[in-house]
Amino acid sequence: MTGYQIFWPLFAHVALVYGLYALLGLRRAKMVRAGKINKSEYRENRGEPAESLAVKNCLANQFELPVLFHVCCILLYITDADNIVTLGLAWIFVALRYAHAAVHVSSNELRYRSPLFAAGYVVLAAMWIWLAVWMAMG
């Protein structure tokens, strides 16, 4: 591949993270205004209401498996192992992260969230396997 196409899914994931931070701020402000929690309690995250806790947990999740995604994309680019297939996998991973986040901050139903996470896990594993194969053959 030529250019920086493999980085666009990274930007899309970064946009998700920024969106979740904004949502967390909005939900926390709403909880403070409603009197459900004092602003000072957020300093130590004691007793966070479920409405904002789901977003906080979703946001934390964006710094777990997705960290491996970002590293893999950078390594794919550096080693010239990026191609249309890895680009497609990268976009699928990001789409799954968006879907996972949407479920996480809304219904938080594990019967929907878990398969979305598992699918992203498999897609990312395929990207890492391709990178390893590429490097072993190179």
Side-chain angles (χ1 to χ4, degrees):
M1 265 176 35
T2 59
Y4 304 106
Q5 294 93 338
I6 196 69
F7 294 120
W8 289 113
L10 298 179
F11 283 116
H13 183 254
V14 168
L16 172 62
V17 170
Y18 272 89
L20 288 169
Y21 271 119
L23 180 60
L24 179 61
L26 290 172
R27 286 197 182 175
R28 282 180 168 176
K30 180 181 175 185
M31 296 299 107
V32 170
R33 281 193 309 274
K36 292 186 177 183
I37 192 168
N38 291 324
K39 189 168 41 173
S40 64
E41 292 182 68
Y42 286 122
R43 182 181 34 180
E44 296 177 12
N45 291 315
R46 296 173 295 162
E48 182 149 4
E51 295 90 337
S52 57
L53 182 61
V55 181
K56 178 183 161 213
N57 290 341
C58 181
L59 190 55
N61 192 254
Q62 302 309 315
F63 295 96
E64 294 169 356
L65 194 60
V67 170
L68 296 176
F69 168 71
H70 285 259
V71 170
C72 186
C73 287
I74 293 165
L75 290 173
L76 286 166
Y77 178 78
I78 290 171
T79 61
D80 289 326
D82 55 333
N83 58 35
I84 193 70
V85 174
T86 58
L87 181 61
L89 290 171
W91 279 114
I92 291 168
F93 179 82
V94 171
L96 289 165
R97 294 310 303 164
Y98 270 83
H100 180 268
V103 171
H104 206 158
V105 301
S106 61
S107 69
N108 204 14
E109 287 282 338
L110 282 178
R111 64 183 168 152
Y112 300 120
R113 207 176 93 205
S114 290
L116 291 167
F117 178 86
Y121 175 87
V122 170
V123 167
L124 184 55
M127 291 174 67
W128 276 102
I129 290 167
W130 166 249
L131 177 61
V133 168
W134 177 267
M135 291 173 61
M137 293 174 58

